[in-house]
Amino acid sequence: MGLVAEFEIDCEALPLAGVAAAVPDATLVLNMQFNHGNRPLFLVTVQGGSQTAVEKALTDAYDVGEWTLIGQAGDTSRYQVLPAFGLEEQLGEHLDDLDGLEALATADAIIERIAVVPGGWRQTGWFASRDAFSKFSSFWQQNAGFRLHRLTRDGESEPSGDGLTDRQHEALRIAYERGYFDIPRQASLEDVAEELGITPSSVSERLRRAQTQLIEETVATTWPPLPN
């Protein structure tokens, strides 16, 4: 069964990240049309914010070649944007592994939504397997910044774990992203503790409590009662 992930890529060099930073009160959703050579055409849906400010930001953006207003409905505007650079050209100075970037284009994944945010992109994607997601997340962890917000199996609308505290959520997320739960393990308790700024024993306790809570919410509720 595949996975659905919502995550944030922290990389200011990603297309239109500067536009999002210039108009933080607007929501920008990006679709890329890859049938336009090495410069995919961008279709950008903008909700909220000042139209004047959005269009000034598009005009001033170093990575925008041309833009055209396609249509409006209420506070929603749609633009066609021709980028000034291809993705490899734009990201080349900021990524160490351009071959890895090319490989992502053939990954067993579909990126369903790209929200452009100040400093990067927030994406929702479908991944055919855990391995496909791991390759994707590992690339961005090594080359930029990667923050996982949600990871579920396809068919599940929301992840379990609503009973977890914010600190437990954070500990599980960091441990997962760093490979603490991988086989073989890619990170130690000390690695996770260093990122969280707490002691390894505190991390261990926080992870045990989080795992116990998850078991109680999911597996334990489906077990038959023990015989007397």
Side-chain angles (χ1 to χ4, degrees):
M1 182 178 290
L3 299 171
V4 180
E6 183 180 349
F7 50 89
E8 197 160 327
I9 298 172
D10 296 320
C11 179
E12 294 181 350
L14 283 168
L16 303 184
V19 175
V23 286
D25 53 341
T27 300
L28 281 69
V29 176
L30 172 67
N31 287 293
M32 291 189 283
Q33 307 295 306
F34 284 102
N35 57 342
H36 292 267
N38 67 344
R39 296 188 188 182
L41 192 66
F42 298 158
L43 302 179
V44 185
T45 300
V46 181
Q47 290 184 305
S50 162
Q51 181 181 351
T52 300
V54 169
E55 294 181 356
K56 182 179 186 304
L58 288 170
T59 300
D60 293 344
Y62 79 97
D63 54 354
V64 172
E66 301 175 6
W67 62 266
T68 304
L69 176 64
I70 300 300
Q72 292 177 285
D75 68 344
T76 300
S77 301
R78 290 183 173 85
Y79 297 89
Q80 180 175 283
V81 176
L82 178 65
F85 312 101
L87 284 176
E88 292 182 16
E89 183 181 1
Q90 179 157 346
L91 298 176
E93 295 184 1
H94 302 270
L95 302 181
D96 296 328
D97 184 9
L98 281 179
D99 291 338
L101 179 64
E102 292 180 1
L104 291 186
T106 59
D108 295 328
I110 297 173
I111 301 302
E112 187 175 57
R113 186 176 190 273
I114 302 174
V116 186
V117 296
W121 286 356
R122 182 162 180 155
Q123 298 182 317
T124 301
W126 294 66
F127 296 84
S129 65
R130 188 62 164 264
D131 182 60
F133 174 73
S134 294
K135 289 178 180 178
F136 187 95
S137 59
S138 295
F139 172 84
W140 287 111
Q141 286 171 13
Q142 294 166 11
N143 287 275
F146 182 89
R147 287 181 288 167
L148 181 65
H149 294 284
R150 180 169 67 95
L151 184 66
T152 62
R153 296 188 183 278
D154 54 15
E156 296 177 0
S157 59
E158 292 293 337
S160 58
D162 289 341
L164 298 180
T165 67
D166 290 343
R167 289 183 176 182
Q168 289 168 353
H169 267 293
E170 181 184 34
L172 281 175
R173 177 178 63 81
I174 295 298
Y176 173 80
E177 291 179 359
R178 295 296 173 265
Y180 177 77
F181 298 113
D182 289 356
I183 301 174
R185 187 165 282 171
Q186 302 298 313
S188 66
L189 275 176
E190 288 74 15
D191 295 328
V192 180
E194 182 178 358
E195 174 126 356
L196 291 170
I198 58 178
T199 65
S201 61
S202 296
V203 172
S204 178
E205 179 182 355
R206 197 171 293 180
L207 290 176
R208 287 200 308 272
R209 291 182 182 276
Q211 290 168 320
T212 298
Q213 179 66 32
L214 289 174
I215 291 171
E216 290 176 350
E217 289 183 2
T218 55
V219 181
T221 59
T222 65
W223 288 345
L226 294 173
N228 294 325

